[in-house]
Amino acid sequence: MPETFAVAGAGLIGRAWAIVFARAGGRVRLWDGVPAALDAAMPLLRANLDDLEAQGLINSAAEVAGRIETVPSLGDALRGAAWLQECIAEQVEPKATLFEEADRLAEPEAILASSSSAITASRFTEALPGRLRCLVAHPVNPPYLVPLVELCPSPWTDPAVLTRARAVMEGVGMVPVAVNREVDGFVLNRLQGALLAEAFKLVADGVISADDLDKTVKDGLGLRWSFMGPFETIDLNAPAGVADYCARYGPFYERLQAEQAPVLAWDEGLVKRIEAERRKQLPADGLAQRQVWRDRRLMALLLHKQQSDEDHGG
């Protein structure tokens, strides 16, 4: 595992990555082009770390925080770092500018990774002399609580870099998956998008309320999905496994896909309707507090999963 990590961007994702790397024992240099964001970063980080300590997920918030420092320039962050995690705006031009500078300033063997949620690496690395070492490492928010990371190379990323990246991610406690070729949204957002598309359609058609749809996922599908993927789920949902399930239910799902194929725009009226229902459930001034609640529930779930893995031998 690298001894030193550079993180560009001190927002939610950048701070979360800093926790991931420091929690694993690495030293982290955190930089942001907006001084106010950098000034606010350490108090916000410390609050997250205090929560992790309170939940028993780290031994010492102070010890982890001591491995993170804020620095005034990207060059300072990159000096001696073997890994850059870019966490800036989800726009091609700023990413291209940052990667051009990082490619010039980074150590020769450093890996340059983007946290991009939807923009593929080929769109901002093609002209770089060091483009072979660039890739996307797309996390789930917040990555210090949700360990999945999608590793997606560009067409020119060196396969050896992808191998090294997987080893680094495993070394810092993440669960890397390889996205074998560039696709918009990578894999997680495409799966989430499919579910969202059907959720919006069901609410738009008056089949179910937004609140009851959320219950269908959190108290139904989501309980299984917290420890099993969709293929394992169906493998266990028929007496003889996945082939048996497909034989039993394949025609039904094929008919559903034909219904679901048309794209439904998330038009203003539909969005306002769902927004109004959500605000009845949670007033806007309660969003920040509910986000803290979410993170603490994720901490409890993560601790439970870790203990379950240990009880069953990993």
Side-chain angles (χ1 to χ4, degrees):
M1 190 187 80
E3 293 182 2
T4 304
F5 296 83
V7 177
L12 282 169
I13 299 299
R15 296 194 305 270
W17 272 117
I19 290 173
V20 168
F21 298 138
R23 180 179 58 190
R27 299 206 62 84
V28 181
R29 298 200 189 105
L30 178 62
W31 167 82
D32 196 294
V34 179
L38 203 59
D39 292 341
M42 290 308 298
L44 292 168
L45 273 166
R46 186 55 193 263
N48 295 142
L49 290 168
D50 287 341
D51 271 350
L52 287 171
E53 182 178 344
Q55 292 286 341
L57 288 167
I58 57 174
N59 293 325
S60 169
E63 182 180 331
V64 176
R67 291 195 283 269
I68 304 170
E69 63 174 317
T70 58
V71 294
S73 73
L74 180 60
D76 291 326
L78 289 166
R79 192 171 301 114
W83 182 283
L84 166 70
Q85 190 70 38
E86 170 268 310
C87 310
I88 66 168
E90 190 73 0
Q91 299 169 15
V92 173
E93 290 77 10
K95 289 184 185 297
T97 299
L98 187 143
F99 267 76
E100 181 180 9
E101 185 177 5
D103 190 38
R104 179 170 51 84
L105 297 174
E107 301 295 333
E109 298 301 315
I111 291 175
L112 308 183
S114 173
S115 297
S116 171
S117 294
I119 303 171
T120 54
S122 61
R123 297 180 63 190
F124 53 86
T125 66
E126 183 173 7
L128 299 180
R131 67 181 190 169
L132 275 66
R133 58 171 167 170
C134 301
L135 77 161
V136 166
H138 171 229
V140 186
N141 186 31
Y144 68 91
L145 297 177
V146 186
L148 183 90
V149 56
E150 296 181 283
L151 301 179
C152 183
S154 71
W156 41 79
T157 302
D158 186 340
V161 167
L162 193 61
T163 300
R164 286 171 53 207
R166 179 183 281 272
V168 170
M169 289 293 98
E170 289 174 344
V172 298
M174 301 297 281
V175 178
V177 296
V179 181
N180 295 323
R181 61 180 178 84
E182 291 190 333
V183 290
D184 285 344
F186 312 114
V187 172
L188 185 140
N189 281 334
R190 292 178 76 92
L191 291 172
Q192 180 169 249
L195 180 62
L196 281 173
E198 184 64 11
F200 272 86
K201 188 174 187 300
L202 288 166
V203 172
D205 291 345
V207 173
I208 194 168
S209 70
D211 185 48
D212 279 353
L213 190 136
D214 276 354
K215 290 174 182 174
T216 302
V217 176
K218 71 177 183 178
D219 296 317
L221 289 171
L223 290 178
R224 292 187 302 211
W225 288 351
S226 69
F227 57 89
M228 292 190 301
F231 291 127
E232 184 175 6
T233 295
I234 67 172
D235 194 33
L236 301 180
N237 274 2
V242 65
D244 184 20
Y245 185 95
C246 292
R248 291 168 182 259
Y249 303 110
F252 161 70
Y253 280 109
E254 289 169 13
R255 292 197 303 274
L256 277 191
Q257 289 177 57
E259 288 181 21
Q260 294 167 331
V263 175
L264 173 71
W266 296 0
D267 63 73
E268 185 177 355
L270 176 59
V271 172
K272 283 184 176 179
R273 180 173 149 196
I274 295 173
E275 170 74 12
E277 189 169 338
R278 283 299 306 147
R279 296 293 69 82
K280 285 181 182 178
Q281 297 293 326
L282 178 65
D285 60 6
L287 283 166
Q289 184 177 358
R290 189 66 170 177
Q291 288 164 351
V292 172
W293 168 87
R294 174 204 64 194
D295 288 355
R296 288 175 178 167
R297 297 308 302 152
L298 283 170
M299 290 177 199
L301 178 60
L302 186 61
L303 184 61
H304 169 71
K305 286 169 70 87
Q306 288 178 353
Q307 291 171 342
S308 296
D309 287 345
E310 290 169 3
D311 291 344
H312 291 88

